[in-house]
C-alpha cells in the first residue's frame, strides 16, 4: 500500500468529530441510567479524564441537553423538545391525539405510539386518557419487540422469515416476567394468532399484572416508519369484553390514521 493510501485509510479510521461523538455517548449514558450520574461516573463510562468530561458536560448544559442536579447530571429539557419534534414530523403522530380524544373508548385510556428500532419497540407519543390510575411506558423508553404488544404489532407486518432473521441473535428472549416467551417458535405462534384477529396481545409478558393490546399502523408516506398503537390495562380490569372493546377501538383508530391512498387501506 502506498503512503497516500495509508494516509487515506488513517483519515477514514479517525472520528471526524470526537467531541460530538463523546457528547452523544454522554447523552446515551444518561438515557440508560436509572438516575443522575456524577461527573466521575460519566468520565468512567466514557474512559476520559474528568477535566475533558467536565468541558463536554458544560457545553451540553449550555445547550440544555443535560442539566445539573444535586446528585450529578441528568438529561435536559431540550432532549424532550427534540424528541417531540422528531415524533411530530410524522403526520399520524400529529393526528393521533385528535383521534384518541374523539374515540369514546380511547379517550379514557393511556394510548401510546411506538416504532420498531432494531429489535425493540421505541415509544414516541402518549395520550394520557382520563382515568385516575394510569399505566404505560414512558416516552423514549424501549421494550423488546418479541414481548411487548406494540412490538408484536410491529412484527405482524413482517413475514416469519424476516422476524426470525431479525431476532435470531436475541433468543432466548429476556424473562421480564414468568409469562415471558423465550424463543422464536413461540413468538411466531403468537404473531400468527395476532394476524388472524387483527391485533396483538401481551398477557403480562412485559410487566407483571399488565395486559397490553396493540395494532399495527402503516406509515403515511413512503419515508415514514411503520408504527403501532397500544393500550396497557391492569390485569384485574382486562376482562375479555374490555380487551375486545379496546382492540376494536384501536383498529378503528388505525384505520382513521392510515393514508387512504396506501396499499393497506386499499386492501381493507
Amino acid at each position: 500500500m502506498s503512503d497516500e493510501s495509508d494516509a487515506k485509510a488513517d483519515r477514514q479510521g479517525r472520528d471526524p468529530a470526537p467531541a460530538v461523538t463523546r457528547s452523544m455517548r454522554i447523552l446515551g449514558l444518561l438515557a440508560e441510567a436509572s438516575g443522575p450520574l456524577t461527573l466521575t461516573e460519566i468520565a468512567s463510562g466514557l474512559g476520559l479524564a474528568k477535566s475533558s468530561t467536565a468541558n463536554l458536560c458544560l457545553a451540553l448544559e449550555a445547550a440544555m441537553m443535560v442539566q445539573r442536579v444535586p446528585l450529578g447530571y441528568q438529561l435536559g429539557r431540550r432532549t424532550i423538545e427534540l424528541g417531540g419534534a422528531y415524533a411530530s414530523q410524522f403526520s399520524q403522530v400529529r393526528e393521533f391525539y385528535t383521534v384518541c380524544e374523539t374515540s369514546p373508548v380511547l379517550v379514557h385510556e393511556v394510548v401510546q405510539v411506538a416504532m420498531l428500532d432494531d429489535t425493540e419497540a421505541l415509544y414516541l407519543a402518549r395520550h394520557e386518557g382520563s382515568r385516575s390510575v394510569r399505566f404505560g411506558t414512558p416516552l423514549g423508553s424501549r421494550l423488546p419487540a418479541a414481548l411487548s404488544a406494540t412490538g408484536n404489532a410491529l412484527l405482524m407486518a413482517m413475514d416469519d422469515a424476516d422476524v426470525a432473521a431479525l431476532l435470531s441473535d436475541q433468543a432466548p428472549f429476556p424473562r421480564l416476567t414468568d409469562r415471558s416467551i423465550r424463543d422464536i417458535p413461540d413468538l411466531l405462534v403468537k404473531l400468527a394468532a395476532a394476524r388472524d384477529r387483527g391485533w396483538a396481545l401481551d398477557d403480562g409478558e412485559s410487566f407483571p399484572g399488565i395486559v397490553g393490546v396493540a395494532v399495527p399502523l402503516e406509515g403515511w408516506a413512503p419515508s415514514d416508519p411503520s408504527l403501532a398503537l397500544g393500550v396497557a390495562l391492569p390485569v384485574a380490569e382486562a376482562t375479555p369484553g374490555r380487551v375486545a372493546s379496546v382492540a376494536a377501538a384501536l383498529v378503528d383508530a388505525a384505520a382513521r390514521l392510515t393514508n387512504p391512498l396506501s396499499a393497506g387501506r386499499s386492501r381493507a
Side-chain angles (χ1 to χ4, degrees):
M1 183 180 293
S2 68
D3 291 342
E4 182 179 349
S5 298
D6 286 339
K8 182 178 179 181
D10 186 49
R11 287 194 301 271
Q12 290 174 340
R14 293 176 186 167
D15 187 338
V20 174
T21 300
R22 291 165 182 170
S23 296
M24 294 304 297
R25 289 179 60 198
I26 290 175
L27 296 176
L29 287 173
L30 294 176
E32 294 170 2
S34 57
L37 296 179
T38 65
L39 187 61
T40 300
E41 290 171 328
I42 297 172
S44 177
L46 294 178
L48 292 176
K50 285 180 64 175
S51 58
S52 299
T53 304
N55 289 334
L56 293 170
C57 288
L58 284 172
L60 289 170
E61 187 177 10
M64 295 184 292
M65 296 296 289
V66 305
Q67 62 183 31
R68 210 174 331 197
V69 294
L71 296 179
Y73 287 92
Q74 63 185 22
L75 291 177
R77 68 175 183 270
R78 183 61 175 152
T79 59
I80 301 173
E81 295 169 355
L82 292 174
Y86 173 78
S88 67
Q89 70 184 322
F90 305 124
S91 299
Q92 290 159 309
V93 175
R94 292 197 298 271
E95 299 296 326
F96 158 73
Y97 301 99
T98 300
V99 168
C100 289
E101 288 295 332
T102 56
S103 165
V105 174
L106 300 182
V107 67
H108 303 296
E109 306 292 352
V110 173
V111 190
Q112 296 179 281
V113 179
M115 65 178 287
L116 188 65
D117 186 25
D118 193 15
T119 62
E120 298 175 311
L122 170 63
Y123 291 85
L124 299 176
R126 175 181 171 111
H127 168 265
E128 291 296 341
S130 61
R131 299 187 188 278
S132 57
V133 179
R134 296 169 179 168
F135 297 89
T137 307
L139 294 184
S141 59
R142 303 163 182 268
L143 283 175
L147 303 181
S148 61
T150 49
N152 280 196
L154 290 160
L155 296 175
M156 284 169 59
M158 302 168 57
D159 62 37
D160 286 354
D162 288 339
V163 171
L166 176 67
L167 299 177
S168 60
D169 292 340
Q170 305 297 309
F173 306 131
R175 188 182 293 279
L176 300 183
T177 76
D178 59 6
R179 301 180 66 87
S180 299
I181 61 170
R182 302 304 309 280
D183 55 42
I184 289 176
D186 285 345
L187 172 61
L188 297 182
V189 170
K190 277 194 66 186
L191 294 180
R195 294 184 189 107
D196 286 343
R197 64 176 171 252
W199 47 273
L201 180 69
D202 166 6
D203 190 7
E205 296 168 54
S206 299
F207 293 100
I210 301 296
V211 173
V213 184
V215 298
L217 179 58
E218 184 179 330
W220 187 273
S223 60
D224 289 350
S226 295
L227 303 172
L229 303 178
V231 169
L233 303 170
V235 68
E237 300 177 19
T239 62
R242 185 169 175 198
V243 168
S245 175
V246 167
L250 286 172
V251 170
D252 178 67
R256 293 172 63 188
L257 288 168
T258 298
N259 189 333
L261 300 179
S262 72
R265 175 64 70 88
S266 299
R267 288 194 298 270

